[in-house]
């Protein structure tokens, strides 16, 4: 049985999919010492139970010059008597501009990762859509300038395998 | 140009007659070919974990650029002693029973030179790491190989050791988990070999450099067996566990008088292990448990993949429980190990090392290292499958 390290999830299948979701069921089965049918069944089950929520490529967006901009936004909001932060948080998360969003401890409540076609568009989104929402107390917007690492993947400097080709 | 005027006349006969390693021969052929996928590499593909490199950089910034104590930095020795206690349940005094060396390579060389007197016989098992026999010779000893075989999953058996032992036998060298076969020992093998070593009062030099890369079951080690303690010279290092090959860092654990003797050889030959590497080693032992776990998991999955793939294509191999090598039989193809390796390289640009590079009983086998990324491994398996299919 494979062990669990601090990064890995309890099921090595999930760890493996997080590293490379495009790996074939046949190869995964060999790596985990089981059959492709078993792998397909387990993945279907994870999908069915909503544990696997989707599959995405890690793209270096800095290299895809489509003019889009990303920002990180800190929001302070007023919790409601019933439901706390959840209702307003869910409203905010449904905006298409919001790529990721987290409830935080500390100096603010919500952390948003937002994408827009231009600086202007993001600025408008914040001032017109977010700041005006009932329950939003304050916003702070930080524009992202460059991505160095995303979800465990370094964006630059793929290390070359420069080992000697045959060694004892 | 070996005439009397060749500078070769200055080289000692002993060194002149040492064979060049079979690996070297193969390396010369592969070298420079860019298209090759190599399963011939005996070192981790991972770069040293960043926090360990960072510690090395910090040590340079702080000016740790001097010699250390001959035995190594006290802080590192204490950390190694603690690690031996925690991971091997073995008690060694960090001040007198741990010597930090320039890799297991130097540890092995210094230990043999400290222990072997001219004419002493030293038993080791083949197939094995390429430097054992030459280093025994350089130390003045007589190398006595015993074979290990596929039917025993390449474990050493006491009856073979018993057949090789003579009154002149001084030491036994063991390497489990093993390079090149990936073999490990079972508890009952360890017990039987311990009994054998004690009965003949030999020195057991146990090279356990792959010990952290044990995939199933308990780690089988000769450290931490009280009755064996006086007879054991335990070798380990940072190269494989923490992917630190280039740092050249290893160590010896042995009873104080033996450590002291090995230290003499080390003192005159080396002085002290590289200081920046020792700084990195301190960080590795202190905060590197998780690195080992993550790399071991990755190797574990690759091992499962490569063993399943090789067996599927008709190259029989057992499931090795340690190191990062598999040792498939290529006998079904009717080729010798060298023929197989050279043709595979030629036709499919995949490099594996012929089993014979590790001793004559490696004939019929091939060493495939899975210290290579999954995409490369997958491509290599596809090419090998085509190669084998055309021949069976
Ligand atoms: C069995 C064995 N012993 C020793 C070594 C050398 O290790 P180090 O890098 O610590 O000198 C190796 C390296 O491949 C090895 O396979």
């Amino acid at each position: 049985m494979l062990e669990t390290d601090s990064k890995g999830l309890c099921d090595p299948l999930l760890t493996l999919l997080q590293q490379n979701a495009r790996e074939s069921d046949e190869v995964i089965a060999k790596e985990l010492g089981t059959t492709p049918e078993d792998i397909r069944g387990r993945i279907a089950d994870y999908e069915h139970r909503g544990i696997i929520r989707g599959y995405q490529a890690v793209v270096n967006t800095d290299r895809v010059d489509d003019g889009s901009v990303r920002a990180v936004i800190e929001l302070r909001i007023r919790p409601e008597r019933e439901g706390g932060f959840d209702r307003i948080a869910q409203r905010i998360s449904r905006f298409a501009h919001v790529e990721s969003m987290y409830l935080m401890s500390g100096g603010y409540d919500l952390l948003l990762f937002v994408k827009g076609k231009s600086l202007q568009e993001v600025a408008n989104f914040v001032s017109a859509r977010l700041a005006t929402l009932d329950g939003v107390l304050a916003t702070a917007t930080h524009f992202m300038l460059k991505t160095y690492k995303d979800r465990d993947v370094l964006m630059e400097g793929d290390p070359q395998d420069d080992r000697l080709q045959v060694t004892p | 140009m070996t005439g009397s005027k060749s500078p070769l006349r200055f080289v000692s006969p002993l060194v002149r007659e040492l064979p060049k390693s079979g690996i070297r021969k193969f390396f010369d052929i592969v070298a420079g070919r860019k298209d090759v996928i190599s399963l011939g590499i005996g070192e981790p593909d991972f770069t040293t974990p960043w926090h360990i490199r960072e510690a090395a950089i910090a040590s340079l910034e702080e000016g740790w650029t001097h010699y250390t104590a001959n035995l190594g930095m006290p802080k590192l020795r204490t950390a190694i002693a603690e690690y031996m206690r925690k991971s091997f349940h073995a008690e060694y005094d960090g001040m007198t029973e741990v010597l930090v060396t320039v890799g297991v390579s130097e540890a092995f060389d210094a230990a043999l030179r400290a222990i072997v007197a001219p004419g002493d016989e030293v038993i080791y098992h083949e197939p094995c790491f390429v430097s054992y026999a030459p280093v025994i010779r350089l130390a003045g000893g007589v190398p006595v190989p015993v074979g290990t075989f596929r039917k025993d999953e390449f474990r050493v058996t006491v009856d073979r050791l018993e057949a090789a032992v003579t009154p002149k036998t001084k030491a036994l060298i063991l390497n489990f988990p093993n390079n090149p076969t990936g073999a490990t020992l079972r508890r009952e093998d360890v017990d039987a070999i311990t009994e054998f070593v004690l009965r003949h009062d030999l020195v057991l030099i146990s090279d356990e450099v792959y010990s952290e890369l044990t995939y199933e079951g308990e780690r089988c080690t000769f450290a931490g067996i009280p009755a064996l303690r006086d007879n054991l010279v335990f070798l380990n290092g940072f190269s494989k566990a923490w992917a630190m090959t280039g740092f050249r860092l290893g160590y010896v654990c042995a009873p104080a008088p033996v450590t002291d003797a090995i230290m003499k050889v080390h003192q005159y030959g080396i002085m002290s292990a590289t200081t920046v590497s020792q700084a990195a080693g301190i960080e590795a032992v202190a905060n590197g448990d998780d690195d080992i776990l993550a790399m071991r998991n990755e190797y574990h999955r690759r091992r499962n993949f490569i063993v399943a793939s090789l067996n599927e294509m008709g190259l029989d191999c057992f499931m090795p429980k340690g190191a990062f090598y598999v040792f498939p039989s290529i006998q079904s193809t009717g080729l010798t190990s060298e023929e197989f390796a050279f043709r595979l390289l030629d036709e499919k640009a995949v490099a594996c090392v012929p089993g014979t590079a590790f001793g004559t009983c490696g004939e019929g086998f091939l060493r495939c290292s899975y210290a290579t990324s999954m995409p490369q491994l997958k491509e290599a398996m596809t090419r090998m499958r085509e190669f084998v299919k055309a021949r069976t």
Side-chain angles (χ1 to χ4, degrees):
Chain A
M1 198 43 205
L2 288 153
E3 304 148 282
T4 308
D5 57 272
S6 67
K7 273 203 160 160
L9 295 165
C10 51
D11 182 351
L13 172 59
L14 288 177
T15 310
L16 230 148
L17 289 172
Q18 280 198 317
Q19 284 170 6
N20 179 9
R22 294 201 68 205
E23 190 61 274
S24 73
D25 298 336
E26 284 68 27
V27 170
I28 293 177
K30 278 183 185 157
E31 286 184 81
L32 299 183
T34 179
T35 60
E37 292 69 40
D38 175 53
I39 296 297
R40 278 192 278 277
R42 279 156 68 188
I43 291 177
D45 184 53
Y46 278 129
E47 288 173 349
H48 181 70
R49 286 156 62 202
I51 290 173
I52 291 181
R53 308 294 306 182
Y55 305 88
Q56 297 182 335
V58 180
V59 176
N60 186 352
T61 47
D62 296 353
R63 296 269 198 98
V64 187
D65 197 7
D66 60 356
S68 66
V69 291
R70 284 185 157 74
V72 181
I73 300 167
E74 303 164 3
L75 278 191
R76 286 210 297 117
I77 55 178
R78 188 172 46 238
E80 295 171 333
R81 181 180 290 277
E82 307 243 326
F85 294 111
D86 280 352
R87 208 180 60 87
I88 183 162
Q90 272 157 11
R91 273 183 76 183
I92 294 171
S93 69
R94 294 204 149 84
F95 285 112
H97 285 98
V98 179
E99 292 191 312
S100 321
M101 184 172 135
Y102 309 90
L103 179 64
M104 310 293 290
S105 70
Y108 51 91
D109 304 307
L110 296 178
L111 184 67
L112 278 59
F113 288 73
V114 167
K115 185 185 169 190
K117 283 204 221 28
S118 65
L119 211 93
Q120 206 51 49
E121 191 183 284
V122 173
N124 280 342
F125 173 69
V126 176
S127 58
R129 300 297 191 128
L130 290 183
T132 55
L133 275 179
D134 202 23
V136 171
L137 303 175
T139 68
T141 304
H142 314 270
F143 283 98
M144 287 192 196
L145 302 181
K146 182 171 175 178
T147 312
Y148 290 96
K149 190 176 183 182
D150 185 9
R151 285 167 285 168
D152 275 342
V153 182
L154 289 172
M155 289 298 118
E156 253 161 64
D158 260 342
Q160 284 246 354
D161 190 349
D162 53 3
R163 293 177 295 162
L164 297 173
Q165 282 169 305
V166 179
T167 50
Chain B
M1 287 298 283
T2 52
S4 64
K5 282 285 169 262
S6 160
L8 199 57
R9 69 188 184 278
F10 299 127
V11 176
S12 90
L14 176 63
V15 172
R16 210 183 302 164
E17 278 148 33
L18 278 184
K20 269 198 190 163
S21 100
I23 291 240
R24 184 73 220 175
K25 189 167 126 195
F26 202 65
F27 174 78
D28 289 340
I29 295 164
V30 178
R33 285 190 56 174
K34 283 269 170 275
D35 56 332
V36 170
I37 296 182
S38 184
L39 307 185
I41 308 182
E43 64 170 319
D45 54 314
F46 301 103
T47 312
T48 309
W50 175 247
H51 67 105
I52 297 173
R53 287 187 272 160
E54 175 100 82
I57 296 166
S59 79
L60 292 176
E61 283 175 346
E62 283 164 30
W64 296 15
T65 59
H66 303 279
Y67 295 128
T68 70
N70 293 128
L71 284 173
M73 287 182 191
K75 192 170 171 188
L76 177 56
R77 282 184 276 143
T78 311
I80 290 170
E82 182 52 38
Y83 166 79
M84 289 302 294
R85 190 170 303 125
K86 189 183 71 179
S87 301
F88 291 84
H89 311 293
E91 292 291 331
Y92 286 100
D93 173 19
M95 292 303 105
T96 58
E97 299 181 318
V98 176
L99 165 68
V100 179
T101 59
V102 181
V104 171
S105 303
E106 191 238 331
F108 184 71
D109 180 56
L112 278 167
R113 287 201 278 156
I115 288 162
V116 171
D120 281 351
E121 294 177 2
V122 179
I123 301 176
Y124 66 103
H125 52 97
E126 284 186 339
C128 72
F129 187 48
V130 295
S131 37
Y132 290 170
V135 171
I136 295 168
R137 279 218 182 85
L138 288 169
V142 180
V144 180
V146 298
T148 61
F149 302 92
R150 168 68 180 88
K151 70 176 170 60
D152 306 315
E153 299 192 341
F154 296 100
R155 288 171 300 131
V156 161
T157 56
V158 167
D159 53 334
R160 290 218 168 72
L161 294 177
E162 212 60 82
V165 78
T166 76
K168 288 199 191 139
T169 307
K170 181 69 180 285
L172 166 64
I173 295 162
L174 293 180
N175 167 228
F176 294 97
N178 180 259
N179 175 8
T181 62
T184 52
L185 293 179
R186 299 176 187 158
R187 168 68 35 209
E188 60 264 31
D189 303 320
V190 171
D191 292 345
I193 293 168
T194 299
E195 194 275 327
F196 166 85
V197 166
L198 294 175
R199 185 151 36 82
H200 295 282
D201 199 26
L202 307 179
V203 180
L204 170 56
I205 301 176
S206 189
D207 174 351
E208 302 191 18
V209 71
Y210 292 99
S211 140
E212 287 290 3
L213 304 180
T214 305
Y215 303 109
E216 272 134 12
E218 67 175 321
R219 151 161 51 203
C220 260
T221 173
F222 289 91
I225 301 173
L228 188 63
R229 194 179 193 283
D230 276 0
N231 296 61
L232 178 68
V233 173
F234 174 88
L235 311 182
N236 201 352
F238 293 73
S239 287
K240 321 289 169 165
W242 285 286
M244 289 174 66
T245 43
F247 282 89
R248 311 304 308 116
L249 195 65
Y251 54 93
V252 182
C253 298
V258 178
T259 300
D260 198 53
I262 301 172
M263 196 269 276
K264 268 198 236 168
V265 178
H266 170 80
Q267 174 179 54
Y268 294 126
I270 298 285
M271 202 101 116
S272 59
T274 315
T275 305
V276 62
S277 298
Q278 294 191 54
I282 291 171
E283 172 64 20
V285 180
N287 298 310
D289 288 357
D290 233 41
D291 306 320
I292 295 177
L293 212 56
M295 290 190 271
R296 180 163 58 212
N297 270 336
E298 179 73 29
Y299 290 133
H300 190 155
R301 293 199 304 254
R302 294 179 192 170
R303 179 205 64 164
N304 293 351
F305 170 74
I306 194 172
V307 169
S309 303
L310 289 168
N311 278 315
E312 206 173 75
M313 71 180 81
L315 298 183
D316 162 75
C317 57
F318 73 105
M319 183 64 90
K321 294 209 174 66
F324 39 60
Y325 308 104
V326 287
F327 206 60
S329 160
I330 47 89
Q331 287 151 30
S332 61
T333 61
L335 300 173
T336 67
S337 295
E338 283 214 357
E339 284 166 353
F340 188 105
F342 285 116
R343 290 190 198 167
L344 180 66
L345 178 64
D346 208 37
E347 294 172 28
K348 296 289 176 189
V350 175
C352 300
V353 183
T356 43
F358 308 96
T360 45
C361 67
E363 182 53 81
F365 297 86
L366 202 62
R367 189 191 74 173
C368 305
S369 159
Y370 49 91
T372 290
S373 70
M374 264 310 281
Q376 294 268 309
L377 277 182
K378 281 193 286 183
E379 177 60 23
M381 289 302 107
T382 305
R383 295 187 195 178
M384 277 178 81
R385 188 174 302 118
E386 291 164 3
F387 179 85
V388 173
K389 203 165 175 193
R391 278 172 179 78
T392 46

